[in-house]
Amino acid sequence: DIQMTQSPSTLSASVGDRVTITCRASQSISTYLAWYQQKPGEAPKLLIYQVSTLETGVPSRFSGSGPGTEFTLTISSLQPDDFATYYCQQYNVYPWTFGQGTKVEIK
Amino acid sequence: QVQLVQSGAEVKRPGASAKISCKASGYTFSSYFIQWLRQAPGQGLEWMGMINPNSGGTSYAQKMQGRVTMTRDTSTSTVYMDLTSLRSEDTAVYYCARRSPVSLVVDYWGQGTLVTVSS
């Protein structure tokens, strides 16, 4: 199975900060990389797929980048609604695998 | 609007089985693969398998092989996930989720079903 490693596990930031989360795949996954946001008690919500394509309705402060095996999710200016846990996911091959998550906390 | 509505929470003894339903509405049921994923308390997401509602064909995670069965009922637009020989490590929220044929990832999720395995 492809291992997805996210860093950091926890991130403390303030409203307005620029935030970057990194995800590394154990082997090439081409551009089949997605990012999800999850809030407590809720199902995950798709933010980005194919490395950098924003899902409909997702604010433009979210962006994704990175080819090959190292990817980043950037939030350009953190908003109160963005405090949540973020997961990367590879869907190049089954089984789909996810990073362990990055919790974005209020500083 | 697209909806995936799952059955309610369950409490099971170790060794028992759990069968969760996921009723789809608001779209053509047979056109979208359904994935099953789970999330143990405080943990990340784990893909369990998927079913093609059109053919009934399935693919399971190797870890779940032999204990999981996914089926569908096209007359009611419902998919089922049956997990047998439950153990405490199976305590989790179980999600059904629709895979978009465009993005190839999940675009809609069920609300989740908590299965608690405890003696």
Side-chain angles (χ1 to χ4, degrees), chain A residues 22-41:
Chain A
T22 299
C23 178
R24 183 174 287 111
S26 61
Q27 64 191 72
S28 176
I29 57 171
S30 186
T31 58
Y32 298 103
L33 188 282
W35 291 95
Y36 294 87
Q37 176 194 67
Q38 188 177 34
K39 296 180 180 179

Side-chain angles (χ1 to χ4, degrees), chain A residues 1 32 34 36 38 41-46 48-50 55 87 89 91 94-101, chain B residues 33 35 37 39 42-47 50 59 61-62 95 99 102-107 109-112:
Chain A
D1 298 358
Y32 298 103
Y36 294 87
Q38 188 177 34
E42 298 182 3
K45 172 190 171 184
L46 178 65
I48 288 171
Y49 62 93
Q50 207 167 349
E55 174 71 341
Y87 295 95
Q89 179 221 339
Y91 54 104
Y94 283 105
W96 286 355
T97 48
F98 294 79
Q100 78 277 19
Chain B
F33 284 33
Q35 319 288 315
L37 305 99
Q39 187 170 35
Q43 302 301 309
L45 294 154
E46 179 180 22
W47 181 83
M50 66 174 178
S59 177
Q62 190 167 12
Y95 293 102
R99 189 190 78 174
V102 175
S103 67
L104 304 181
V105 292
V106 169
D107 58 358
W109 297 74
Q111 82 275 20

Side-chain angles (χ1 to χ4, degrees), chain B residues 24-42:
Chain B
S25 62
Y27 71 96
T28 304
F29 176 69
S30 58
S31 298
Y32 294 78
F33 284 33
I34 294 292
Q35 319 288 315
W36 286 91
L37 305 99
R38 69 180 183 178
Q39 187 170 35

Side-chain angles (χ1 to χ4, degrees), chain A residues 12-105:
Chain A
S12 296
S14 302
V15 172
D17 284 353
R18 181 182 180 88
V19 164
T20 299
I21 299 169
T22 299
C23 178
R24 183 174 287 111
S26 61
Q27 64 191 72
S28 176
I29 57 171
S30 186
T31 58
Y32 298 103
L33 188 282
W35 291 95
Y36 294 87
Q37 176 194 67
Q38 188 177 34
K39 296 180 180 179
E42 298 182 3
K45 172 190 171 184
L46 178 65
L47 298 175
I48 288 171
Y49 62 93
Q50 207 167 349
V51 178
S52 59
T53 302
L54 236 57
E55 174 71 341
T56 303
V58 173
S60 59
R61 62 180 179 273
F62 291 93
S63 64
S65 65
T69 61
E70 187 151 332
F71 305 89
T72 58
L73 171 70
T74 299
I75 309 172
S76 60
S77 177
L78 200 64
Q79 298 302 300
D81 192 48
D82 302 338
F83 291 97
T85 300
Y86 294 84
Y87 295 95
C88 62
Q89 179 221 339
Q90 70 79 21
Y91 54 104
N92 185 46
V93 297
Y94 283 105
W96 286 355
T97 48
F98 294 79
Q100 78 277 19
T102 295
K103 185 176 183 180
V104 177
E105 298 181 326

Side-chain angles (χ1 to χ4, degrees), chain B:
Chain B
Q1 72 283 22
V2 174
Q3 281 194 304
L4 298 172
V5 179
Q6 297 182 222
S7 48
E10 301 190 30
V11 179
K12 297 291 182 181
R13 299 291 190 201
S17 299
K19 188 169 186 175
I20 302 169
S21 66
C22 171
K23 183 172 176 60
S25 62
Y27 71 96
T28 304
F29 176 69
S30 58
S31 298
Y32 294 78
F33 284 33
I34 294 292
Q35 319 288 315
W36 286 91
L37 305 99
R38 69 180 183 178
Q39 187 170 35
Q43 302 301 309
L45 294 154
E46 179 180 22
W47 181 83
M48 299 177 66
M50 66 174 178
I51 183 167
N52 177 346
N54 186 41
S55 67
T58 56
S59 177
Y60 303 135
Q62 190 167 12
K63 174 182 177 180
M64 312 303 303
Q65 290 275 3
R67 290 207 298 141
V68 69
T69 304
M70 296 173 189
T71 57
R72 94 295 192 207
D73 181 344
T74 55
S75 68
T76 60
S77 300
T78 302
V79 298
Y80 299 91
M81 191 281 295
D82 194 354
L83 187 61
T84 61
S85 302
L86 290 168
R87 34 216 191 215
S88 59
E89 310 90 88
D90 295 317
T91 294
V93 175
Y94 289 77
Y95 293 102
C96 64
R98 190 186 85 161
R99 189 190 78 174
S100 164
V102 175
S103 67
L104 304 181
V105 292
V106 169
D107 58 358
Y108 286 92
W109 297 74
Q111 82 275 20
T113 297
L114 175 62
V115 175
T116 303
V117 183
S118 174
S119 55

